[in-house]
Amino acid sequence: MRRIILEVSLSIIMSFFIGYIMLILMGYDANIVFSIVIREGLSNPTYLMIRSTPLILTALAFSIPSLVGVFNIGGEGQFYLGALASLLIAYVTGNPLLSMLIGMAAGGLLSALIALIKVKRGVNEVVTSIMFNWMIYFSLLYLISTYLFDPLMPYQSVSVPKAARIDYLRIQSLSIPIIFPIAVLTSLAMYFLIYHSALGYRMRVVGISPRTARYAGFNPESSIIVSMIIGGAMSGLGGSLLILGHTHAIDSTMSGLYGMGFAGIGAGLLGRNNPIGIILSSIFLSMLLIGGEAAELRARVPTELADALIGMIVIVLSVPYLVRILRVRR
């Protein structure tokens, strides 16, 4: 754990240093830009928690299958499907708990389909995930613009009724969105599942060595399917919480949902696929994204600044893996 903390800390420092040099070369005052990013990123704790919530869950969607050796980049589509299913159930029943469960089930079913195609037909999960992501994206756009639009506001879907919305917990002057503790508690539950249960032990053994897992009597195929179902359910829950606790509708351009699944991959890698680390990395990356938006407005820096910093963090994080691979081969 100490080595992981050291690697992550060094990667963040190095990425900020590279970003600092880039800003200077582009003619910006790097001190002002980074002060804006950090100050504005932390200035509104409530919004920071809202932005962190879907990242925590989409990061789990990537990281849990990753422990089994499966590269699930279908969190984007699973996130969309969970949001859509929760919106429909909430609109019909007005029950937030049922909406969350159906959202999780929708994401899990889609992920299970990807896993079954991999296990039964040998199709790489990256290929099927990308295909499903775009299929669901355009299908959702069609449904919103054709059947599910709000007659009074046709640029968005029908809204979640007030009875089904997840509210805020107010402690003195701080307003805590309840969706955030739900995401944190879910991540902690996943930590205990992975590191303190027989199911988690089997998944980790399969990820380290499928041959050893078979020798021990474990079935790698079933572990792949189970890990993907859990991961998909996490992403579906992320879409559900965002709809029920923040946006309350899906706009006709999908701007409120787009990119959350892919951003979760960065949060998962930064958190070293550890559910506790994912909570911290999601908050950190959300701070960067919020601060990057503020820096764009106040310092006129490119909109891609935060994305570039996140990308550099991921690249630097991969260096220790590369060193280990070269060391093993040598």
Side-chain angles (χ1 to χ4, degrees):
M1 179 61 72
R2 187 175 299 175
R3 186 187 67 186
I4 292 174
I5 294 173
L6 179 61
E7 289 178 356
V8 172
S9 301
L10 287 175
S11 68
I12 292 173
I13 293 170
M14 289 181 64
S15 62
F16 269 91
F17 176 75
I18 296 171
Y20 191 92
I21 299 300
M22 287 174 57
L23 286 170
I24 292 175
L25 293 175
M26 294 169 65
Y28 296 99
D29 189 328
N31 292 323
I32 294 176
V33 171
F34 276 112
S35 66
I36 293 173
V37 169
I38 296 172
R39 184 178 65 252
E40 295 298 325
L42 299 173
S43 63
N44 189 339
T46 300
Y47 187 52
L48 179 62
M49 287 185 279
I50 290 172
R51 290 290 293 265
S52 302
T53 297
L55 276 189
I56 292 172
L57 294 162
T58 53
L60 290 172
F62 169 79
S63 295
I64 292 173
S66 181
L67 294 172
V68 190
V70 181
F71 195 69
N72 178 29
I73 63 170
E76 188 84 355
Q78 296 147 21
F79 186 81
Y80 298 157
L81 202 57
L84 174 64
S86 292
L87 175 67
L88 293 175
I89 297 300
Y91 185 75
V92 173
T93 67
N95 188 320
L97 179 59
L98 180 61
S99 301
M100 284 192 289
L101 293 175
I102 296 298
M104 291 177 66
L109 286 173
L110 176 59
S111 190
L113 180 58
I114 295 171
L116 286 170
I117 293 173
K118 174 183 175 64
V119 170
K120 300 297 183 182
R121 308 302 300 175
V123 181
N124 188 282
E125 68 275 9
V126 174
V127 176
T128 49
S129 294
I130 293 173
M131 292 173 62
F132 277 117
N133 285 345
W134 286 113
M135 288 167 60
I136 295 170
Y137 175 81
F138 287 111
S139 298
L140 194 50
L141 285 178
Y142 174 75
L143 288 173
I144 292 170
S145 60
T146 308
Y147 299 107
L148 300 177
F149 64 90
D150 188 332
L152 299 177
M153 294 177 285
Y155 56 85
Q156 69 175 38
S157 69
V158 293
S159 298
V160 173
K162 291 185 178 181
R165 296 179 182 181
I166 301 176
D167 206 353
Y168 293 75
L169 178 64
R170 290 172 175 82
I171 301 176
Q172 295 182 352
S173 61
L174 179 62
S175 183
I176 300 175
I178 296 177
I179 59 174
F180 179 72
I182 291 174
V184 169
L185 290 173
T186 302
S187 192
L188 293 176
M190 290 301 105
Y191 175 83
F192 284 101
L193 174 70
I194 293 168
Y195 294 104
H196 297 281
S197 73
L199 175 61
Y201 177 73
R202 286 197 296 270
M203 290 194 297
R204 286 185 289 122
V205 171
V206 170
I208 294 170
S209 174
R211 184 178 298 177
T212 303
R214 289 187 187 278
Y215 183 79
F218 302 155
N219 186 343
E221 287 76 18
S222 65
S223 292
I224 289 173
I225 294 172
V226 170
S227 70
M228 285 288 284
I229 290 174
I230 295 173
M234 293 298 99
S235 199
L237 178 61
S240 175
L241 292 179
L242 188 66
I243 290 296
L244 298 176
H246 180 52
T247 63
H248 303 140
I250 303 174
D251 65 273
S252 58
T253 62
M254 297 274 286
S255 62
L257 302 179
Y258 183 77
M260 291 291 184
F262 294 122
I265 296 175
L269 291 172
L270 181 58
R272 286 300 201 208
N273 293 332
N274 184 302
I276 295 177
I278 282 171
I279 297 171
L280 302 176
S281 67
S282 298
I283 294 172
F284 174 74
L285 293 184
S286 298
M287 181 270 291
L288 278 184
L289 292 170
I290 296 169
E293 294 168 359
E296 176 193 354
L297 295 174
R298 299 192 178 189
R300 303 298 181 187
V301 298
T303 57
E304 296 80 10
L305 171 64
D307 293 333
L309 286 174
I310 293 170
M312 283 186 286
I313 290 171
V314 173
I315 291 171
V316 176
L317 275 171
S318 66
V319 172
Y321 287 118
L322 179 61
V323 172
R324 291 190 199 114
I325 291 171
L326 293 175
R327 187 178 297 166
V328 169
R329 291 190 176 183
R330 183 178 177 184

